[in-house]
Amino acid sequence: MAPILEVKNLTHIYSAGTPFEHAALKDISFSVEPGEFIGVIGHTGSGKSTLMQHLNGLLKPTSGTVLLGGKDIWSDKQLTRQSRFRVGLVFQYPEYQLFEETVYKDIAFGPKNMGLDKGEIDRRVREAAGFVGLTEEQLQLSPFDLSGGQKRRVAIAGVIAMEPEVLILDEPTAGLDPRGREDILENIEAYRKAKNATVMMVSHSMNDVARLTDRLIVLNNAQLVMDGSPQEVFVHAQELLEMGLDIPEVTRVFLMLRQQGVPVEPVYTLDQAVQALCALKGGLGRA
Amino acid sequence: MLKDITLGQFFPGNSFIHRLDPRTKLIFLIVYIATLFTASNWISYGLMIAFLALVIAISTIPLKSIVRGMKPLVFILIFTGVLNVFFTAGETVLVSFWIFTITLEGIIRAFFMMTRILLLITGTFLLTYTTSPIALTDGLESLLSPLKKLRVPVHELSMMMCIALRFIPTLIEETDKIMSAQKARGADFETGSLMQRVRALVPILVPLFISAFRRADELATAMECRCYQGGEGRTKMKLLRFHRCDIQAFASAAVLLAAVITLHSFGL
């Protein structure tokens, strides 16, 4: 299948030509296939947020191109605007952008800007609210009367209502309690399955990305340093730790086991760990 | 972009100007402005420009940054210039059409007015460029302290100013973030009629106000947690003291003022 998003030799320099000039992204290239769930990991200041804002045309590359469905999103104005709707971007702490009188109106903001008719807007708002588990009564409340976790879900629904082909989330679970985190991750997965959408998620939780994603992109010092399945990336545990990143807890445990001389392959999810340990036990039992 | 606004930004440094007592700089600025309004001819303006250029050179602030800070003021400058060109009566008529007449006097006056505004603003910018907001409010508080006798809440006023200055960059950053987030939902701030553009600001202003109030509330709590109770009995970590360089600065301000007044009284 043709890739939905392609990033080619993307470089972005902030405050170019001033003493404050610094490169936030250096020569980044990768492509995204439809339906993929990609985790983006990297240390604070590694350029993750800057990269995400290039994918829907909020930032213009200093050099390099971003192709959406094979076309350069900066090649004409209409396309740049379209890319905002086709690639939905949920910022960090998105609950701080809520502004409307009711939850319903706030979620409708995106679809309204797309110029859809009333019926379609209504359908999308209700569907998006469904994805994030908001009730009918909550739609008529003021967003400012909701709890932190609920506000976050309203904000995510506001982007989902545009029905983007690619949904990008910048640390969607930051600052939430475990229950709230779990809910949000389930909502994202529900949307992805229902619409066969592509999802990119920036996260600091290695447990989450290991469990949910099928591919990881690792950024370090404005450069793309690793790109592969969680299996392939977490093999480089030592390098990840040196970059100031973490590895899933089970991977850590298994690496320690290996150091102790237990013959196990590194794993990165709990399910795999259970399997590996059962196999090991079985093997030992037979021996 | 919003980030390019340099108004009121502090450039840390260790030049002669940076080291001056903030009170010296404030008084100096007042004398400078007074001098600027006394200046009335080519020679005195030339003197002021030369003096300002010298101060900029000593301050080691790059000229580029100063010029960039001027950008938002271009409109005011042009407005003043145009107004003076067209509405100054004079004898030497250069161009005359319909109800407009342009006189040589008008052009000279416009030139002087624009120079005056430019000098005024650059001078004020230099103060904020070379003085940290905290030093500035400390200096202001110290200079205004005699007003305490008249029950003017000087400390509270300077604390408010300090907080306001402190939060300008924070709010600019916040505005930037909110704008990006609303753009990601298809908000359009660049096209449409005036009414549409004003309406397009609502999705920015509402979250911005809410976050500003939230910040204010959090800051108030944090200050109360550290037992802040106003200026009563409060001591300072950095005590302001005049040094040798301050005396030199005062002397040069006095000389500048005297020179311009002398020029003025000779009608030059």
Side-chain angles (χ1 to χ4, degrees):
Chain A
M1 234 195 291
I4 180 151
L5 263 178
E6 261 181 289
V7 176
K8 284 185 183 164
N9 307 98
L10 177 66
T11 296
H12 190 83
I13 297 169
Y14 277 118
S15 315
T18 71
F20 305 107
E21 165 176 321
H22 75 277
L25 295 172
K26 288 184 208 154
D27 198 26
I28 306 256
S29 299
F30 66 91
S31 62
V32 179
E33 302 296 324
E36 269 188 308
F37 195 151
I38 300 180
V40 181
I41 56 179
H43 199 251
T44 310
S46 59
K48 299 175 307 246
S49 297
T50 308
L51 177 62
M52 296 303 115
Q53 289 182 53
H54 277 92
L55 301 181
N56 72 341
L58 276 178
L59 289 176
K60 193 169 184 171
T62 309
S63 68
T65 49
V66 177
L67 306 179
L68 176 63
K71 284 189 204 137
D72 184 352
I73 59 171
W74 285 99
S75 58
D76 85 279
K77 256 196 169 150
Q78 210 57 41
L79 209 59
T80 314
R81 198 168 154 68
Q82 279 305 313
S83 71
R84 307 261 163 88
F85 303 128
R86 292 177 59 192
V87 181
L89 175 57
V90 180
F91 275 79
Q92 243 176 65
Y93 297 101
E95 57 272 30
Y96 294 141
Q97 322 141 12
L98 302 177
F99 68 97
E100 276 286 11
E101 294 152 54
T102 66
V103 170
Y104 182 95
K105 281 190 189 170
D106 209 286
I107 299 177
F109 182 64
K112 229 168 157 181
N113 285 328
M114 296 171 81
L116 300 170
D117 65 63
K118 250 191 160 158
E120 178 66 8
I121 293 178
D122 188 67
R123 182 190 71 75
R124 289 189 176 207
V125 170
R126 285 177 201 284
E127 200 182 36
F131 277 123
V132 298
L134 290 167
T135 62
E136 193 67 28
E137 298 87 67
Q138 280 170 330
L139 281 180
Q140 299 312 322
L141 291 176
S142 160
F144 303 108
D145 289 338
L146 301 176
S147 74
Q150 286 169 330
K151 276 188 205 167
R152 173 101 34 118
R153 280 187 276 161
V154 172
I156 293 176
V159 173
I160 283 181
M162 303 192 299
E163 299 192 349
E165 296 154 57
V166 184
L167 180 64
I168 302 178
L169 304 111
D170 196 346
E171 290 188 52
T173 57
L176 292 182
D177 56 44
R179 178 69 195 278
R181 300 167 62 104
E182 219 35 63
D183 284 349
I184 297 253
L185 293 174
E186 273 167 27
N187 299 156
I188 295 166
E189 192 61 21
Y191 176 74
R192 189 174 87 96
K193 290 227 170 90
K195 299 282 168 186
N196 198 21
T198 313
V199 177
M200 289 181 82
M201 182 171 83
V202 175
S203 179
H204 283 300
S205 164
M206 297 302 142
N207 293 333
D208 290 348
V209 291
R211 188 162 49 95
L212 294 167
T213 64
D214 14 78
R215 182 174 156 201
L216 284 179
I217 286 176
V218 186
L219 292 180
N220 191 34
N221 284 333
Q223 277 165 319
L224 195 153
V225 286
M226 288 182 213
D227 179 356
S229 67
Q231 181 95 53
E232 288 161 352
V233 169
F234 287 127
V235 166
H236 305 279
Q238 197 55 42
E239 286 163 60
L240 289 172
L241 291 171
E242 273 162 20
M243 284 176 218
L245 291 173
D246 213 353
I247 49 174
E249 278 148 23
V250 279
T251 314
R252 199 181 282 257
V253 171
F254 268 61
L255 285 175
M256 281 178 181
L257 283 176
R258 262 165 82 98
Q259 275 173 6
Q260 303 281 327
V262 182
V264 283
E265 288 305 311
V267 297
Y268 53 92
T269 67
L270 267 181
D271 289 345
Q272 290 172 336
V274 171
Q275 273 178 16
L277 287 180
C278 285
L280 188 70
K281 201 174 165 223
L284 286 178
R286 256 177 262 125
Chain B
M1 276 309 266
L2 284 168
K3 275 181 193 142
D4 295 333
I5 296 175
T6 44
L7 197 81
Q9 203 179 53
F10 170 52
F11 283 80
N14 196 25
S15 70
F16 180 83
I17 312 284
H18 282 90
R19 283 198 307 270
L20 285 176
D21 188 296
R23 289 173 295 178
T24 311
K25 283 188 263 192
L26 279 164
I27 297 171
F28 199 111
L29 186 69
I30 294 166
V31 174
Y32 169 83
I33 292 171
T35 318
L36 197 56
F37 281 94
T38 320
S40 53
N41 56 56
W42 300 104
I43 304 173
S44 43
Y45 269 110
L47 192 68
M48 295 301 290
I49 292 172
F51 183 79
L52 189 68
L54 183 72
V55 174
I56 292 175
I58 297 174
S59 73
T60 64
I61 303 279
L63 199 62
K64 234 188 190 167
S65 314
I66 294 175
V67 172
R68 194 150 9 104
M70 294 289 156
K71 267 188 195 157
L73 302 159
V74 170
F75 176 73
I76 298 174
L77 273 176
I78 293 174
F79 187 70
T80 315
V82 170
L83 222 59
N84 276 291
V85 165
F86 287 116
F87 295 98
T88 308
E91 280 152 18
T92 341
V93 177
L94 296 177
V95 189
S96 181
F97 58 95
W98 195 31
I99 55 166
F100 299 109
T101 41
I102 297 176
T103 62
L104 184 65
E105 285 83 354
I107 289 178
I108 293 173
R109 199 181 147 83
F111 179 76
F112 274 151
M113 280 315 245
M114 284 163 77
T115 316
R116 184 177 281 178
I117 292 178
L118 212 58
L119 285 173
L120 188 74
I121 294 165
T122 317
T124 321
F125 269 13
L126 269 177
L127 175 73
T128 56
Y129 278 171
T130 59
T131 320
S132 73
I134 292 177
L136 201 61
T137 43
D138 267 1
L140 209 61
E141 186 180 347
S142 164
L143 281 179
L144 294 178
S145 58
L147 290 177
K148 274 184 193 157
K149 296 226 163 65
L150 300 171
R151 292 177 172 265
V152 177
V154 175
H155 170 79
E156 282 71 16
L157 285 176
S158 73
M159 180 57 92
M160 280 198 269
M161 197 178 113
C162 185
I163 293 171
L165 285 173
R166 154 70 183 75
F167 276 97
I168 289 173
T170 313
L171 287 181
I172 288 177
E173 209 174 287
E174 188 107 359
T175 312
D176 220 28
K177 225 189 257 168
I178 295 171
M179 273 178 87
S180 303
Q182 306 299 25
K183 270 195 211 159
R185 293 208 276 163
D188 185 1
F189 310 117
E190 279 115 31
T191 56
S193 68
L194 188 68
M195 253 337 260
Q196 280 171 321
R197 282 194 206 196
V198 171
R199 221 172 288 138
L201 287 179
V202 172
I204 302 174
L205 291 181
V206 172
L208 191 63
F209 269 92
I210 289 168
S211 100
F213 282 125
R214 187 174 44 85
R215 274 181 203 285
D217 199 41
E218 280 168 7
L219 185 67
T221 312
M223 283 167 85
E224 262 178 7
C225 285
R226 289 188 261 169
C227 305
Y228 178 79
Q229 48 180 5
E232 203 65 42
R234 195 173 161 81
T235 55
K236 293 238 183 318
M237 188 172 94
K238 284 184 184 160
L239 283 175
L240 295 175
R241 270 199 201 94
F242 288 116
H243 294 280
R244 199 185 156 79
C245 54
D246 296 297
I247 298 165
Q248 291 165 344
F250 280 131
S252 62
V255 170
L256 183 73
L257 182 63
V260 173
I261 289 177
T262 314
L263 284 169
H264 185 72
S265 62
F266 278 100
L268 279 167

